Amino acid sequence: MLLPVSTWTDIETWLKTSKTIVVPIGSMEQHGPNGFIGTDALCPEIIAREAEKLAPDDLLVGPTFSVGCAQHHLGFPGTITLRPSTMIAAMADWTESLMRHGFERIYWLNGHGGNIATIEAAFSEIHARRSFDPRGEDNRHGLTLKRRDWWDFKSVMSLCNQLYPVGHGSHATASEVSVTYYGYPDHARTDVAMTPKIAPNGKIGDAVQYRRDFPDGRIGSDPTQSNVEDGGKIVAAAAQAVLDEVRRFSA
């Protein structure tokens, strides 16, 4: 079930048998010359919705938290970012909104490595607020929070390495661009030339340094390899892995 196209009565019914929701979370940042700005939000959204199609009675997928921490990409037009403190506050509000209705298990499916530290800090802030609540255990639901990076499943990473043994990279990767091409094939960019073919590697600092050291936005990658067919394979593997893990998480 998809929360954005459900009614409040649908959600009320869902909560009678499940206290779990999956929330895709990502970023709105440049992904090189042929990658979509929304890649890091689109990937977990596409995968979560594919998992929901496999077992709609087992998964409730919430709206995508689509803007994350991407200050180092601000040298490229189109990037939108939150400060870590803003993201933590927003995640707390999302979580407490869901808790008010009775949700107790929130599975955040992440699509952006730059979000990891802030997501974990948000979890700490949310639990701290509960710990400081003078009501203690009175009138409170339980709460379990989990972050899963979609690429981190063994089956998914193994497939990505098999598909792209050279030039997979660490930003604007061939795999993530393929996932978005699978989700939005009409927008795939297959005629973009890149020099050098495989982008350089290096450290990330602020937006000025990033644009200077990685002028076309890529890091270590050759996303000209990306294609719809590969994206379908990656999404299928990731969706099954998510479904299996959420079932265990909900149990």
Side-chain angles (χ1 to χ4, degrees), residues 14-21 101-106:
W14 173 270
L15 284 163
K16 291 177 181 178
T17 57
S18 176
K19 306 299 183 184
T20 302
I21 186 169
H101 307 306
F103 287 98
E104 297 179 0
R105 295 177 177 268
I106 306 177

Side-chain angles (χ1 to χ4, degrees), residues 20-111:
T20 302
I21 186 169
V22 176
V23 180
I25 184 168
S27 183
M28 199 63 53
E29 64 189 45
Q30 68 81 24
H31 273 78
N34 73 335
F36 306 146
I37 290 172
T39 293
D40 284 351
L42 293 172
C43 284
E45 180 177 270
I46 291 165
I47 291 165
R49 292 190 173 201
E50 195 80 7
E52 186 271 341
K53 290 178 185 177
L54 294 175
D57 293 336
D58 290 0
L59 260 69
L60 171 62
V61 179
T64 301
F65 193 110
S66 59
V67 177
C69 289
Q71 57 79 21
H72 47 287
H73 294 284
L74 282 174
F76 298 85
T79 295
I80 304 172
T81 189
L82 300 177
R83 299 175 189 273
S85 56
T86 307
M87 183 171 169
I88 289 168
M91 287 184 64
D93 286 352
W94 281 45
T95 298
E96 291 173 359
S97 296
L98 293 167
M99 287 176 58
R100 189 185 190 284
H101 307 306
F103 287 98
E104 297 179 0
R105 295 177 177 268
I106 306 177
Y107 181 101
W108 297 83
L109 183 62
N110 179 44

Side-chain angles (χ1 to χ4, degrees), residues 186-204:
D186 292 344
H187 294 270
R189 309 293 179 86
T190 58
D191 57 349
V192 179
M194 301 183 199
T195 304
K197 185 173 178 59
I198 298 177
N201 284 298
K203 295 182 178 180
I204 299 173

Side-chain angles (χ1 to χ4, degrees), residues 107 148-158 238 241-242 245:
Y107 181 101
R148 170 61 75 177
D149 308 322
W150 70 262
W151 60 84
D152 200 37
F153 292 104
K154 184 176 179 180
S155 59
V156 175
M157 185 52 68
S158 176
V242 167
E245 185 166 77

